[in-house]
Amino acid sequence: MRADPAPPLAATDTDALRPLLDTVLDALRAGATARGGPIPSGGPDEVTARVREALGDPLPAHGTDPTETLRTLTHALAEGAADPAHPLCAAHLHTPPLGLAAAADLAASVLNPSMDSWDQAPAASALEALVTEALAAAVYPGGPDGTGPESTGQDGTGPGRTRPESTGPGSAPAASRPPRPDALVTTGGTESNQLALLLARERHGPGHSVQTVVGANAHHSFRRAAWLLGLPEPVTVPTPNGTLDPVALDEALTDLHGPLLVAATAGTTDTGRIDPLPQIADLCDAHGAELHVDAAYGGPLLFSETRHPLLAGLDRARTVTLDLHKLGWQPAAAGLLAVRDGRDLTVLSHTADYLNAADDTEAGLPDLLGRSLRTTRRPDILKIAVTLRALGRDGMGALVDRVCDLAQQLADLVEKSPDLELYERPALTTVLFRPAGADDATVAAIRRALLDEGRAVLGRARADGRLWLKATLLNPHATPGDLQDILDLVEGSTDR
């Protein structure tokens, strides 16, 4: 009895892959049509029931038709998706990816490099080195000391790509290599913030517990990272105006002792506000504290010709979190951690003989294992590289400006409506508003009703002791009419 042939491989049988891609695209379109809005109606129970029906037995004894299976499950996922490309899906920092970036991500999936050793990712590792070097230079245009262009190696290797003790061909001892900015690719802001705390802990060594100081507006990942790394609970500084208060920070740093890491925010999750980075950097210098900036949301303002001054002081941070699957239109994941001095990353050096044997590194094979806490990882840099090269700084900046302008337009519409209340003018792309005179229970009920009916996806945020609806605008194709539709739906729900 002859065995069935093995299914075709993606990279070696593109003729077999092409019709499967057509099946996926058709199912995506049909699923979105069946959904008919930004999110499926019916709530969790109905969505789960539809998925269960489409899936059937998740592990059958005998397989089913591959094309039918691909079509059915893709359709089910699309029909049941919260679609960030729909203009009425505006709850979270959940961006609609560019078609170009999604296509590049397909190429990464087909080739499937693993970024933990050079012999699994020759070109991908070189691409990552070049692009992360460029992004680090964008964050730190003055180099590690802020006085001039970053240093570049003379050996053809990217920053931080050789083990510190390596002295073989194409490398130099760590002490003799000039400092220069660098960046690591991560899964997003949470991992980047965790890495920033880890690097701070390791810089000070055993017996010197680093105390993190955060604003009340800081991302929740700092507390989780401190717990995971065995560091003290972060000290929380008040943010009475939505940003970290320099006076309160000064008082906190005066009272604290030992190694200190201040974590400021450039683009808070709830309002998009940016902490006063120059003042915070001055206080860190005065108190001998280190500075990390979580710019997962606001970092891409660097691309905007008009809005990049909002990030003044960013380059004074020792480490900076970036996340291009937020205001960068990338499929998740597309995070980075930029460091002012690439030598800080040497603490991540790790040896596994089958991946980065010392003699291989000394012979000139790049050491990739110290580029992440993960071992196997995707070449997420490809979609980033394709997007940045195709759009350039001006193209990325234009997208950033467009969605920031949309937020201003939505704020204008809220202010013109006597039935709505605006929290504040938007700092980035987040707008908080609520029906005038409504209590918190009514605001929460409106949001859930719009979700359950599949008509709009809005977030929620607490500010000034009250609950607000949150619109996070990341769709550059949204129109003023779409913005008015959001407000009409809210006002219509209030009237019921």
Side-chain angles (χ1 to χ4, degrees):
M1 185 174 181
R2 189 175 67 183
D4 291 335
L9 299 178
T12 58
D13 195 344
T14 53
D15 288 340
L17 179 63
R18 194 176 305 277
L20 295 176
L21 298 182
D22 289 339
T23 297
V24 166
L25 295 175
D26 290 344
L28 288 173
R29 185 181 301 108
T33 300
R35 184 180 65 244
I39 196 168
S41 62
D45 290 343
E46 288 192 23
V47 172
T48 300
R50 289 194 289 265
V51 172
R52 182 180 291 112
E53 180 181 2
L55 176 61
D57 184 353
L59 189 60
H62 303 287
T64 58
D65 177 73
T67 301
E68 183 278 330
T69 298
L70 182 63
R71 179 185 301 110
T72 298
L73 294 185
T74 302
H75 185 285
L77 195 66
E79 183 180 6
D83 182 6
H86 194 290
L88 302 187
C89 186
H92 301 285
L93 290 166
H94 177 203
T95 195
L98 298 177
L100 188 67
D105 219 22
L106 170 65
S109 294
V110 169
L111 293 169
N112 205 29
S114 183
M115 302 293 292
D116 49 312
S117 67
W118 185 86
D119 59 0
Q120 298 177 87
S125 61
L127 184 67
E128 181 177 273
L130 294 167
V131 176
T132 53
E133 185 174 16
L135 288 170
V139 175
Y140 299 105
D145 60 1
T147 60
E150 68 279 5
S151 301
T152 55
Q154 303 301 314
D155 53 13
T157 60
R161 294 326 192 258
T162 54
R163 191 180 289 122
E165 69 273 15
S166 175
T167 56
S171 66
S176 67
R177 291 200 302 270
R180 54 197 173 191
D182 198 359
L184 299 179
V185 177
T186 70
T187 54
T190 294
E191 184 186 350
S192 294
N193 289 337
Q194 179 187 326
L195 272 172
L197 266 64
L198 173 63
L199 295 178
R201 187 191 73 178
E202 294 304 297
R203 278 194 297 272
H204 294 284
H208 297 86
S209 186
V210 175
Q211 176 64 65
T212 307
V213 182
V214 302
N217 60 354
H219 195 261
H220 65 84
S221 59
F222 288 108
R223 287 168 180 80
R224 178 173 287 186
W227 164 75
L228 185 65
L229 295 169
L231 297 175
E233 176 78 10
V235 170
T236 302
V237 175
T239 55
N241 297 312
T243 56
L244 206 158
D245 179 16
V247 174
L249 177 61
D250 189 22
E251 293 173 355
L253 295 179
T254 299
D255 293 339
L256 293 169
H257 304 285
L260 301 174
L261 177 70
V262 175
T265 304
T268 62
T269 303
D270 281 348
T271 66
R273 281 198 167 202
I274 297 172
D275 286 338
L277 301 182
Q279 292 171 270
I280 293 171
D282 287 344
L283 288 170
C284 287
D285 289 345
H287 289 277
E290 295 178 348
L291 175 61
H292 167 71
V293 176
D294 178 2
Y297 182 7
L301 292 178
L302 288 169
F303 301 127
S304 168
E305 193 67 32
T306 58
R307 290 181 167 88
H308 76 268
L310 294 172
L311 295 179
L314 183 70
D315 59 349
R316 296 177 64 184
R318 186 146 189 171
T319 51
V320 174
T321 287
L322 300 172
D323 196 345
L324 295 178
H325 62 246
K326 290 183 172 65
L327 201 56
W329 297 278
Q330 298 299 295
L336 297 114
L337 177 70
V339 296
R340 189 171 58 204
D341 186 342
R343 294 174 299 183
D344 285 351
L345 301 177
T346 58
V347 298
L348 301 179
S349 180
H350 178 68
T351 300
D353 197 61
Y354 73 104
L355 294 173
N356 62 342
D359 58 316
D360 279 348
T361 303
E362 291 168 1
L365 293 183
D367 178 359
L368 305 184
L369 201 54
R371 302 296 298 172
S372 176
L373 294 179
R374 294 170 285 151
T375 303
T376 300
R377 58 187 180 94
R378 301 180 76 249
D380 288 316
I381 201 66
L382 176 60
K383 60 198 173 194
I384 297 172
V386 168
T387 301
L388 296 180
R389 185 175 184 273
L391 272 65
R393 283 178 181 265
D394 57 348
M396 292 294 293
L399 288 178
V400 170
D401 289 339
R402 187 174 301 177
V403 291
C404 288
D405 289 344
L406 281 171
Q408 296 297 328
Q409 293 172 34
L410 180 58
D412 290 342
L413 292 173
V414 172
E415 288 186 323
K416 292 175 182 177
S417 171
D419 298 321
L420 297 172
E421 179 182 355
L422 180 70
Y423 174 64
E424 65 180 8
R425 298 298 304 185
L428 293 177
T429 71
T430 301
V431 181
L432 301 188
F433 66 100
R434 55 184 280 144
D439 58 21
D440 286 357
T442 299
V443 173
I446 289 172
R447 175 180 175 271
R448 286 192 293 268
L450 293 174
L451 276 177
D452 189 65
E453 296 162 5
R455 296 197 294 164
V457 188
L458 294 173
R460 53 185 286 164
R462 190 163 292 278
D464 277 351
R466 294 188 292 167
L467 187 65
W468 299 79
L469 296 171
K470 178 173 71 170
T472 307
L473 303 176
L474 296 177
N475 186 341
H477 292 278
T479 66
D482 296 324
L483 305 181
Q484 187 62 58
D485 287 345
I486 291 175
L487 302 186
D488 290 345
L489 287 169
V490 170
E491 291 176 318
S493 296
T494 307
D495 294 337
R496 282 193 254 173

